[in-house]
């Protein structure tokens, strides 16, 4: 039985084998990727130059945008390349690197979403203490934890992927190197990798989602106690965008990683993966800007300043 040293490269089967659809998908996903880059990088720049966007909420949002840029850039360029290529291959080392950054960035993003929920809880439920409790130092520490933890956990998970054995079938039924399709084609080291993938995903999704749910439960209780209808409306409007982003991201990931890899689940997961690797990073800037008065005002001021300088 050959071990991992015998694998030089994998073949990524991608989304479809039909040539006419591959060209269509290339155009569509290139447009989505460019919109994602423009939206997220634009959000980062806007937050950095706008005085009214210097609160902790926007500090965390800038990091969410940064992670979304890295997340989509880890997967989309290779997918676009393979859509126009006849070989559609990825090296074994390249596959492991892609797995590492994918797992790391998923963990970073879910915990940033949890930190953002905690920030909304502090702002709404403890407004008088918010400035002191969520100081710049505290925010830097809070945002550091997801990065350190995410990349550390990913290293362990990737080492288990490195321990998979393959027996001559090197075709990955996916458009990037993901754990479920790799497990499906492996012939050794599968059991421990499969169990650890489900356990680690389950623990991290449950813990981070619990922070989100507890935070928003306390927020709802606090908002319902408000006497001002305008205050309630403002509180819910600041949370609506975040809840939408959480629902989209967690929903797709849970569908992908909390099931045993089968032929059917891998095929379904491939379709879902398109959504969270390309579409969600594009949607997040729109979700947070279209529903946010402060961001709209900052955009208008930035545009006005630009035209005035000209």
């Amino acid at each position: 039985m050959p071990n991992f040293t015998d694998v030089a490269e994998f073949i990524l089967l991608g989304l479809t084998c039909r040539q006419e659809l591959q060209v269509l998908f290339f155009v569509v996903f290139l447009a989505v990727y460019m919109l994602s880059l423009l939206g997220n990088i634009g959000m980062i720049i806007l937050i950095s130059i706008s005085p009214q966007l210097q609160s902790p909420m926007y500090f965390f949002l800038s990091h969410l945008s940064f992670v979304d840029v890295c997340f989509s850039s880890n997967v989309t360029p290779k997918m676009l390349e393979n859509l126009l290529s006849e070989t559609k291959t990825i090296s074994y080392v390249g596959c492991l690197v892609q797995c590492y950054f994918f797992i790391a960035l998923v963990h970073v993003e879910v915990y940033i979403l949890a930190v953002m929920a905690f920030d909304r809880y502090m702002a709404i439920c403890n407004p008088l203490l918010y400035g002191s409790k969520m100081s710049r130092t505290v925010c830097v520490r809070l945002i550091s934890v997801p990065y350190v933890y995410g990349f550390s956990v990913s290293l362990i998970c990737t080492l288990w992927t490195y321990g998979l054995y393959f027996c001559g079938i090197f075709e990955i039924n996916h458009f990037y190197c993901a754990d479920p399709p790799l497990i499906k084609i492996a012939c050794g080291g599968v059991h421990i990798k499969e169990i650890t993938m489900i356990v680690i995903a389950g623990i991290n999704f449950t813990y981070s989602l619990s922070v989100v749910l507890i935070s928003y439960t306390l927020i709802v209780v606090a908002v319902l106690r408000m006497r001002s209808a305008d205050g309630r409306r403002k509180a819910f409007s600041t949370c609506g965008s975040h809840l939408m982003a959480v629902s989209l991201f967690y929903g797709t990931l849970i569908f992908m990683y909390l099931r045993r890899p089968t032929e059917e689940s891998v095929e379904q997961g491939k379709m879902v993966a398109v959504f969270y690797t390309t579409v969600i990073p594009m949607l997040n800037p729109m979700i947070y800007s279209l529903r946010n008065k402060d961001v709209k005002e900052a955009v208008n001021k930035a545009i006005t300043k630009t035209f005035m300088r000209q």
Side-chain angles (χ1 to χ4, degrees):
M1 182 177 67
N3 59 26
F4 58 85
T5 58
D6 298 314
V7 183
E9 62 184 17
F10 293 104
I11 298 172
L12 294 168
L13 297 182
L15 293 170
T16 180
C17 59
R18 295 173 60 182
Q19 187 65 36
E20 64 277 14
L21 288 179
Q22 289 179 2
V23 175
L24 175 63
F25 285 161
F26 176 84
V27 173
V28 171
F29 290 126
L30 177 61
V32 170
Y33 180 55
M34 295 308 295
L35 286 172
S36 174
L37 288 183
L38 289 172
N40 284 293
I41 293 173
M43 182 67 77
I44 294 169
I45 294 171
L46 184 67
I47 291 171
S48 65
I49 65 173
S50 302
Q52 68 267 43
L53 300 182
Q54 298 306 307
S55 67
M57 180 176 76
Y58 297 108
F59 172 75
F60 297 133
L61 179 56
S62 67
H63 281 273
L64 181 66
S65 293
F66 171 73
V67 172
D68 277 340
V69 169
C70 297
F71 195 55
S72 58
S73 297
N74 182 48
V75 173
T76 310
K78 187 63 180 177
M79 178 183 70
L80 293 173
E81 177 193 333
N82 286 344
L83 282 170
L84 298 182
S85 172
E86 292 185 3
T87 55
K88 306 184 189 304
T89 58
I90 185 170
S91 68
Y92 179 74
V93 173
C95 185
L96 286 178
V97 170
Q98 194 175 61
C99 276
Y100 173 72
F101 281 103
F102 179 84
I103 296 169
L105 293 168
V106 165
H107 283 87
V108 173
E109 181 140 352
V110 295
Y111 281 107
I112 286 179
L113 290 171
V115 168
M116 291 175 74
F118 175 73
D119 171 69
R120 291 299 81 211
Y121 158 74
M122 290 297 295
I124 294 170
C125 299
N126 298 282
L128 298 178
L129 298 175
Y130 182 66
S132 59
K133 293 293 184 181
M134 297 296 289
S135 64
R136 191 70 175 184
T137 303
V138 172
C139 290
V140 170
R141 289 174 181 172
L142 282 173
I143 205 65
S144 299
V145 173
Y147 286 102
V148 174
Y149 178 76
F151 281 91
S152 300
V153 168
S154 182
L155 179 61
I156 298 169
C157 294
T158 307
L159 288 174
W160 277 317
T161 304
Y162 183 71
L164 291 174
Y165 294 84
F166 301 92
C167 302
I169 301 175
F170 305 135
E171 293 184 342
I172 301 174
N173 185 18
H174 219 294
F175 58 89
Y176 70 93
C177 281
D179 280 344
L182 279 172
I183 291 171
K184 193 72 184 65
I185 65 172
C187 58
V190 171
H191 182 69
I192 185 170
K193 176 61 183 176
E194 186 176 270
I195 296 300
T196 52
M197 181 190 75
I198 294 173
V199 170
I200 289 176
I203 290 172
N204 286 290
F205 291 165
T206 301
Y207 181 73
S208 57
L209 191 57
S210 296
V211 173
V212 173
L213 293 176
I214 292 170
S215 296
Y216 276 103
T217 300
L218 295 173
I219 287 171
V220 169
V221 172
V223 169
L224 292 176
R225 288 177 179 172
M226 291 180 181
R227 296 180 179 180
S228 168
D230 185 59
R232 287 197 297 268
R233 186 169 56 253
K234 186 177 179 181
F236 280 128
S237 68
T238 60
C239 299
S241 301
H242 183 250
L243 278 174
M244 191 180 299
V246 167
S247 301
L248 288 171
F249 195 70
Y250 276 88
T252 52
L253 285 176
I254 288 171
F255 184 84
M256 177 89 173
Y257 284 94
L258 293 184
R259 301 186 300 168
R260 291 193 63 186
T262 62
E263 200 67 45
E264 182 183 5
S265 69
V266 168
E267 194 64 36
Q268 292 172 348
K270 188 163 59 173
M271 297 299 106
V272 174
V274 171
F275 197 70
Y276 67 72
T277 56
T278 60
V279 179
I280 289 179
M282 178 194 70
L283 289 178
N284 276 345
M286 298 180 186
I287 291 171
Y288 283 102
S289 59
L290 294 176
R291 295 174 57 89
N292 192 299
K293 184 181 177 182
D294 292 335
V295 174
K296 289 179 184 178
E297 289 179 356
V299 170
N300 291 332
K301 286 182 179 179
I303 293 172
T304 303
K305 284 183 180 178
T306 302
F307 281 111
M308 287 178 67
R309 286 174 183 173
Q310 293 177 350

